[in-house]
Amino acid sequence: MHRVVVTGGAGFIGSFLCEALLEKGADVICLDNFFTGSKENILHLLDNRHFELVRHDIINPILLEVDRIYHFACPASPIHYQYNPVKTTKTSVMGTINMLGLAKRVKAKILLASTSEVYGDPQIHPQTEDYWGNVNPIGLRSCYDEGKRVAETLMMDYYRQNSVKIKIVRIFNTYGPRMAPNDGRVVSNFIMQALQGQDLTIYGDGSQTRSFCYVSDLVQGVMKMMDTDNFIGPVNLGNPGEFTIRELAEKVIELTGSSAKIVSRPLPADDPVKRKPDITLARQQLEWEPAVQLEAGLKKTIAYFDDLLTSGKLLADPRWRKMQ
Ligand code: NAD
Ligand code: UDP
């Protein structure tokens, strides 16, 4: 049985990962500082004796005895990672050094949740892992993009210098229940807006594209990656279905039956024009590919946000209160 730590385990993806690992029989320690994560996400795991929650900020070192580290702690939505950009960079750099130090000391395997953002505004399409990216080093997104790029560098150098057993996954836009309702990401924004009869805010003309992966698919890919022996990645994990943001808005309006309208807002700086993963490597090395198509995943996500809104749970959610 594996003894596992999940950093950022109270977040959106991290909470599903903790759940899936427990189902596989692991002992799971969840480390989180609750910046964007929430106890609500893992409330149902708290009475499982194989689950332990530790409030901890990963910019500080921690001593644990584990054999696997899933390193997911980092704010992921532009609003959240730009709220305190210096802290975002510290989380990626110091947090990753601390987790690599831990991996080195206890000889654990460590998997980094990197991102498609390392490709920046990509000049090749779809993106393959050998593409070095087109990233602005001094822009508003840099704290996140460059932070993750340094995190990848650190992973590779601990591997080359100290033989730490590393794994790097580059995650493309992932969505599903437990996204924070106020995180400003496109899927949560559109669904919240549609359910409340508010205008759906398209940034720019809506012709930019993204590829949306449902969270359960992503978690399966992450776990398969951890189980590999000699494959270190980086490997893209995402759903290669590509949609314009306008198509997404129209789909959300259709599926919610909302009478909301679509309006345009200014496009944020450095917003990538298109993004789509080439997942050939994941197919070959992990025998993985996503199974949940956009419409099915959106229906589940809509049901989650609908429940939040109609049950009053939203008002009890500290993340939502912070926003009011
Ligand atoms: P999230 O914001 O829901 O989760 C991040 C978690 O990390 C939260 O629980 C937060 O409280 C915690 N955290 C942040 N800083 C911390 C710190 N200094 N110490 C301890 N905990 C800290 O975001 P998510 O969408 O679940 O993303 C999880 C990971 O996956 C991130 O590393 C992100 O970069 C990566 N990722 C996500 C996506 C996506 O589309 N969701 C895409 C690419 C990469
Ligand atoms: N976006 C949008 N309306 C919103 C939120 C986001 O049009 O209310 C756009 C955003 O400009 C980007 C895309 O949707 O082009 C995806 O944004 P998100 O923040 O979800 O992820 P990322 O840009 O990091 O891929």
Side-chain angles (χ1 to χ4, degrees):
M1 186 203 290
H2 291 294
R3 198 167 157 74
V4 170
V5 62
V6 180
T7 74
F12 157 53
I13 299 176
S15 62
F16 282 100
L17 181 59
C18 288
E19 217 173 274
L21 289 165
L22 287 166
E23 273 164 26
K24 286 237 164 181
D27 270 322
V28 178
I29 302 172
C30 163
L31 299 185
D32 209 294
N33 70 351
F34 299 115
F35 171 44
T36 53
S38 123
K39 278 190 195 152
E40 305 294 318
N41 287 344
I42 39 146
L43 209 54
H44 59 297
L45 306 178
L46 289 179
D47 59 4
N48 184 328
R49 65 194 180 84
H50 296 287
F51 182 76
E52 226 177 309
L53 172 64
V54 181
R55 179 188 283 264
H56 175 75
D57 192 312
I58 57 151
I59 68 166
N60 300 307
I62 189 163
L63 293 176
L64 297 167
E65 306 308 317
V66 291
D67 52 34
R68 291 184 165 194
I69 301 168
Y70 290 86
H71 180 28
F72 276 67
C74 185
S77 88
I79 289 184
H80 288 153
Y81 68 66
Q82 288 167 13
Y83 173 77
N84 183 345
V86 172
K87 177 68 192 258
T88 300
T89 304
K90 272 177 153 175
T91 293
S92 268
V93 178
M94 295 162 71
T96 304
I97 289 175
N98 286 328
M99 287 305 127
L100 280 161
L102 173 65
K104 181 180 159 193
R105 184 178 65 81
V106 299
K107 298 192 170 39
K109 264 194 201 175
I110 176 169
L111 179 148
L112 170 71
S114 185
T115 168
S116 54
E117 294 274 334
V118 300
Y119 302 123
D121 191 3
Q123 286 164 335
I124 67 147
H125 192 76
Q127 292 77 55
T128 44
E129 290 85 353
D130 56 4
Y131 177 52
W132 289 358
N134 175 35
V135 177
N136 176 359
I138 56 169
L140 294 178
R141 296 173 86 100
S142 312
C143 59
Y144 183 69
D145 302 1
E146 297 287 20
K148 289 285 187 180
R149 286 167 69 98
V150 175
E152 288 198 11
T153 307
L154 286 163
M155 295 284 286
M156 290 305 300
D157 284 332
Y158 270 75
Y159 168 70
R160 287 183 285 242
Q161 199 176 326
N162 303 108
S163 305
V164 171
K165 289 173 268 180
I166 64 151
K167 311 267 168 199
I168 301 172
V169 296
R170 292 184 178 151
I171 301 171
F172 284 64
N173 296 62
T174 298
Y175 70 101
R178 300 192 202 141
M179 293 180 86
N182 63 341
D183 74 2
R185 285 189 267 195
V186 69
V187 173
S188 43
N189 260 13
F190 283 178
I191 294 178
M192 287 293 289
Q193 289 164 341
L195 289 174
Q196 295 177 101
Q198 296 166 355
D199 295 340
L200 272 67
T201 51
I202 285 189
Y203 302 160
D205 64 6
S207 63
Q208 69 271 38
T209 68
R210 292 292 186 275
S211 303
F212 300 100
C213 186
Y214 189 67
V215 63
S216 58
D217 281 337
L218 193 271
V219 164
Q220 290 309 312
V222 166
M223 287 170 50
K224 282 192 160 202
M225 179 61 174
M226 186 60 111
D227 283 340
T228 56
D229 287 327
N230 299 315
F231 178 54
I232 63 171
V235 64
N236 290 338
L237 292 181
N239 190 321
E242 184 184 12
F243 298 87
T244 66
I245 294 304
R246 184 168 293 278
E247 282 169 343
L248 178 73
E250 284 162 357
K251 183 60 72 189
V252 169
I253 288 178
E254 178 197 320
L255 294 176
T256 51
S258 173
S259 54
K261 310 237 168 334
I262 292 176
V263 294
S264 288
R265 295 279 178 271
L267 189 67
D270 298 333
D271 200 277
V273 176
K274 46 189 180 173
R275 182 182 290 155
K276 167 184 166 134
D278 182 320
I279 59 164
T280 310
L281 191 62
R283 283 197 180 104
Q284 285 168 353
Q285 295 286 337
L286 311 178
E287 294 176 354
W288 172 86
E289 65 183 327
V292 182
Q293 294 313 312
L294 184 64
E295 189 159 320
L298 283 178
K299 282 184 183 162
K300 292 184 194 196
T301 314
I302 290 167
Y304 170 79
F305 282 112
D306 194 36
D307 179 54
L308 272 189
L309 281 165
T310 52
S311 65
K313 283 182 209 156
L314 193 57
L315 290 173
D317 188 327
R319 293 169 299 176
W320 184 251
R321 283 206 305 271
K322 261 187 245 167
M323 190 191 167
Q324 300 292 303

